[in-house]
């Protein structure tokens, strides 16, 4: 490496880094990418690949009338306008073109309706007003395969098993990186090293909410999510955006893996609070369900019966019929022959729990749920069978809480061109960031299904273009030039 130079160095080979690499080569830059792990992909390859975007060809084929303007309004409203409108407008305008770009590289998103994040097609995965969740064939793994192929065929030099230690900078900006104690020079650096879900100290500092799950906390994010972006940012005095934000999925206390492996709770279940009352649609999107749980101010529970337990399919680690019994035997999962007895163990009022279950049994199996509208979400998931009543003892109660840490949002702040911004509000010359490593796009409320992958790919692509442009002019690429490039 000593006698070679590159225009752009990219730190991290997940969705953002690979997108940045491919897009920088499209602007004629030579690119060197370092990946700390043995393989490319990071959290992106573990994901469903669900990608939120507006005004796409897939939506058009299905007759969904959408636009970046509608997406922007929805995004800002959901985040109570706490994000920078200019950055979010650029993201919302660029997400559709980024999806079309992926399609042009070989990603397939079939133009049919999908009822969940694991079925390729277009779905309404979260609380979005319109169908915006694009699920690709092969999911996150498929996205990474396509991007890796594109990067290799564009001549990107990829170095695996190599963790970048620090940035090289001088008063004029960033000039390269240090790896294996060696200095490697370039014109621009893109930080795409993902989040910090696996670093407890950084969680304490930037996302202490995650630690409220205590011993139930488990991290789904990739092994490379160690938070190096925050130390790179500190080196150059970068501002931090997205502090206190991240994505925690609610799970039963005993779940220990993402549901690919953990399995799924039974469809016939009720979520109740410490008053013994239902407080949410049990299918509520993870965009809002952690907030609903937090508002209960105490324990929340998932209740199901013996029929539901017996109906759990085998082959999954956590949600299988035997594991439920093992948790009961260990004294961790509550079990009783009557609802009154279960209520006593839960320390919730028995009359409330009995009434809640009786009302649920009357309404849900008959296809009605006037208070929480679960019937709507079951229909959106393509459920055709009526939901079974909860009337077969014994009954079970599992603590239910936000405990699965998927991604973190605090990172060096970026602007619409993916330039890293310093504490004084100035762009740091030669430094760009994207994905979980680029702060400001992912806010307090997760938009979609598909917010984080869309952020990684869209802002990664922007960062690659801007970094390549920086080499020539010292100025980043304009946002307009990216959004006009819809294929
Ligand atoms: C199980 C799971 C399912 C998910 N499903 C979805 C979904 O369907 N839709 C959605 O929108 N979001 C989803 N997410 C979140 C989303 O996948 C991530 O937020 C997003 O893909 C992050 O992309 P990234 O490129 O920023 O980071 P990553 O994909 O994590 O890539 C960062 C890479 O940088 C490497 N790296 C770190 N430090 C260094 C260093 N110092 N030097 C060199 N390399 C380094 C890491 O090893 C890693 O490979 C999911 C996440 C998980 C864990």
């Amino acid at each position: 490496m000593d006698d070679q130079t590159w225009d752009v160095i990219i730190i991290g080979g997940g969705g953002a880094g690979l997108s940045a690499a491919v897009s920088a080569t499209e602007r004629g830059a030579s690119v060197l990418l370092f990946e700390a792990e043995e393989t490319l992909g990071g959290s992106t390859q573990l994901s469903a690949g669900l990608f939120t975007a507006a005004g796409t060809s897939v939506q058009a084929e299905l007759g969904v009338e959408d636009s970046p303007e509608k997406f922007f309004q929805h995004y800002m409203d959901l985040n109570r306008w706490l994000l920078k409108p200019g950055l979010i407008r650029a993201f919302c305008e660029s997400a559709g073109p980024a999806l079309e770009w992926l399609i042009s590289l070989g990603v397939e998103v079939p133009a049919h309706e999908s009822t969940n994040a694991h079925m390729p097609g277009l779905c309404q995965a979260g609380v979005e007003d319109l169908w915006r969740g694009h699920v690709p064939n092969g999911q996150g793994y498929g996205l990474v395969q396509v991007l890796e192929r594109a990067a290799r065929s564009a001549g990107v030099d990829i170095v695996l098993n190599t963790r970048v230690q620090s940035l090289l900078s001088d008063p004029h900006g960033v000039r390269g990186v240090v790896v294996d104690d060696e200095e490697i020079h370039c014109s621009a650096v893109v930080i795409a090293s993902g989040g910090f879900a696996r670093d407890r100290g950084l969680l304490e500092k930037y996302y202490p909410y995650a630690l409220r799950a205590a011993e139930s906390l488990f991290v789904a994010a990739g092994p490379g999510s160690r938070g190096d972006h925050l130390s790179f940012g500190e080196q150059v005095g970068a501002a931090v955006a997205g502090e206190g934000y991240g994505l925690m999925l609610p799970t039963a206390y005993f779940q220990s893996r993402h549901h690919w492996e953990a399995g799924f709770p039974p469809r016939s279940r009720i979520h109740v609070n410490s008053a013994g009352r239902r407080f949410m649609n049990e299918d509520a999107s993870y965009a809002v369900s952690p907030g609903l749980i937090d508002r209960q101010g105490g324990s929340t529970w998932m209740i199901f019966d013996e029929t539901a337990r017996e109906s759990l399919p085998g082959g999954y680690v956590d949600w299988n019929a035997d594991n439920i019994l093992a948790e009961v035997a260990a004294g961790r999962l509550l079990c009783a022959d009557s609802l009154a007895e279960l209520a006593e163990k839960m320390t919730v009022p028995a009359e409330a729990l009995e009434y809640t279950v009786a009302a649920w049994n009357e309404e849900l199996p008959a296809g009605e749920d006037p208070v929480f509208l679960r019937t709507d979400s079951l229909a959106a998931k393509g459920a055709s069978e009526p939901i079974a009543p909860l009337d077969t003892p014994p009954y079970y109660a599992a603590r239910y809480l936000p405990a699965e840490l998927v991604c973190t949002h605090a990172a060096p702040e970026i602007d619409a061109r993916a330039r890293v911004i310093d504490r004084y509000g100035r762009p740091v010359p030669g430094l760009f960031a994207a994905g979980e490593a680029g702060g400001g796009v992912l806010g307090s409320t997760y938009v979609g299904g598909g917010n984080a992958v869309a952020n990684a790919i869209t802002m990664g692509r922007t960062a690659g273009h801007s970094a390549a442009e920086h080499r020539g002019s010292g100025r980043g690429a304009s946002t307009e030039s990216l959004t006009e490039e819809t294929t």
Side-chain angles (χ1 to χ4, degrees):
M1 261 176 221
D2 288 347
D3 48 359
Q4 282 192 53
T5 55
W6 284 268
D7 297 320
V8 177
I9 289 181
I10 295 178
I11 308 174
L18 286 167
S19 298
V22 175
S23 76
T25 62
E26 289 171 348
R27 296 280 163 111
S30 59
V31 178
L32 172 62
L33 181 151
F34 288 106
E35 167 53 54
E37 303 298 310
E38 276 176 17
T39 55
L40 295 168
S43 289
T44 309
Q45 74 168 342
L46 305 175
S47 79
L50 183 56
F51 188 124
T52 190
T56 68
S57 57
V58 181
Q59 288 177 310
E61 271 194 67
L62 289 168
V64 176
E65 283 180 29
D66 198 6
S67 67
E69 291 73 29
K70 283 187 194 167
F71 186 23
F72 169 71
Q73 187 70 37
H74 176 68
Y75 203 110
M76 292 301 289
D77 288 349
L78 215 53
N79 278 288
R80 294 174 294 135
W81 284 76
L82 292 172
L83 301 173
K84 301 239 162 78
L87 172 60
I88 301 306
R89 173 161 292 159
F91 167 70
C92 292
E93 287 176 349
S94 306
L99 185 89
E100 303 300 341
W101 175 70
L102 281 181
I103 292 171
S104 76
L105 294 176
V107 169
E108 290 170 1
V109 183
H112 56 65
E113 287 183 7
S114 148
T115 54
N116 62 66
H118 304 281
M119 181 193 288
L122 186 70
C123 70
Q124 193 174 24
V127 290
E128 61 267 44
D129 46 345
L130 286 166
W131 290 56
R132 290 202 180 101
H134 298 75
V135 190
N137 279 341
Q139 305 199 300
Y141 181 77
L143 287 185
V144 168
Q145 295 298 300
V146 167
L147 285 167
E148 179 178 354
R149 251 196 322 273
R152 290 195 187 279
S153 69
V156 173
D157 286 301
I158 296 177
V159 182
L160 299 174
N161 274 320
T162 306
R163 183 175 175 187
V164 172
Q165 293 163 271
S166 58
L167 301 178
L168 267 182
S169 62
D170 63 25
H172 304 291
V174 172
R175 299 279 175 243
V177 297
V178 178
V179 287
D180 295 334
D181 297 327
E182 246 186 74
E183 295 188 353
I184 303 179
H185 296 261
C186 61
S187 305
V189 171
V190 177
I191 308 173
S193 51
F196 57 91
R198 294 197 176 268
D199 186 293
R200 194 177 169 93
L202 291 173
L203 287 174
E204 273 164 15
K205 184 167 178 190
Y206 292 108
Y207 191 39
Y209 176 85
L211 301 174
R212 286 167 53 175
E215 69 278 2
S216 290
L217 175 68
F218 70 97
V219 178
S225 306
R226 303 184 200 91
D228 290 351
H229 60 308
L230 288 159
S231 57
F232 298 145
E234 250 174 48
Q235 254 194 279
V236 293
V240 173
E243 273 183 83
Y245 305 154
L247 180 62
M248 292 284 288
L249 303 190
T251 67
Y253 75 89
F254 59 83
Q255 195 171 317
S256 60
R257 322 236 176 129
H258 190 58
H259 57 71
W260 298 119
E261 294 171 88
F264 298 86
R267 207 163 62 107
S268 285
R269 65 180 192 281
I270 308 186
H271 296 172
V272 302
N273 60 17
S274 54
R277 298 183 59 185
R278 262 179 103 197
F279 64 94
M280 67 184 288
N281 173 342
E282 288 75 7
D283 297 322
S285 159
Y286 45 79
V288 295
S289 50
L292 291 170
I293 292 168
D294 295 341
R295 296 285 295 182
Q296 303 314 307
S299 298
T300 54
W301 303 87
M302 198 184 257
I303 311 282
F304 50 96
D305 72 353
E306 181 64 359
T307 308
R309 183 190 71 82
E310 285 172 348
S311 71
L312 290 169
Y316 289 110
V317 178
D318 295 316
W319 281 106
N320 67 70
D322 291 342
N323 191 45
I324 300 300
L325 294 184
E327 285 296 311
V328 173
R332 291 187 290 259
L333 200 148
L334 304 182
C335 174
D337 286 331
S338 72
L339 289 169
E341 206 187 315
L342 190 70
E344 200 182 323
K345 291 184 176 180
M346 295 160 66
T347 64
V348 306
E351 294 112 286
L353 186 65
E354 285 175 330
Y355 180 80
T356 299
V357 174
W360 196 89
N361 282 344
E362 204 175 304
E363 290 166 356
L364 269 292
E368 291 166 18
D369 186 16
V371 179
F372 291 104
L373 308 180
R374 189 167 177 210
T375 35
D376 290 11
S377 48
L378 286 168
K381 285 171 181 282
S384 48
E385 297 287 304
I387 200 154
L390 296 180
D391 55 8
T392 313
Y395 298 99
Y396 300 90
R399 284 274 319 281
Y400 179 61
L401 72 171
E404 175 177 356
L405 177 53
V406 176
C407 58
T408 56
H409 300 179
E413 181 180 346
I414 56 168
D415 69 4
R417 300 174 189 176
R419 298 180 300 186
V420 170
I421 302 302
D422 76 9
R423 291 189 196 103
Y424 304 109
R426 306 168 303 197
V428 178
L431 188 62
F432 304 85
E436 284 182 56
V441 176
L442 298 174
S444 61
T445 304
Y446 194 80
V447 185
N451 200 168
V453 164
N455 172 47
I457 306 290
T458 305
M459 297 315 291
R461 181 175 179 239
T462 299
H465 280 185
S466 296
E469 294 285 311
H470 178 82
R471 155 193 70 134
S473 64
R475 287 175 289 124
S478 75
T479 310
E480 288 74 18
S481 65
L482 287 180
T483 55
E484 281 163 8
E485 264 184 20
T486 313
T487 52

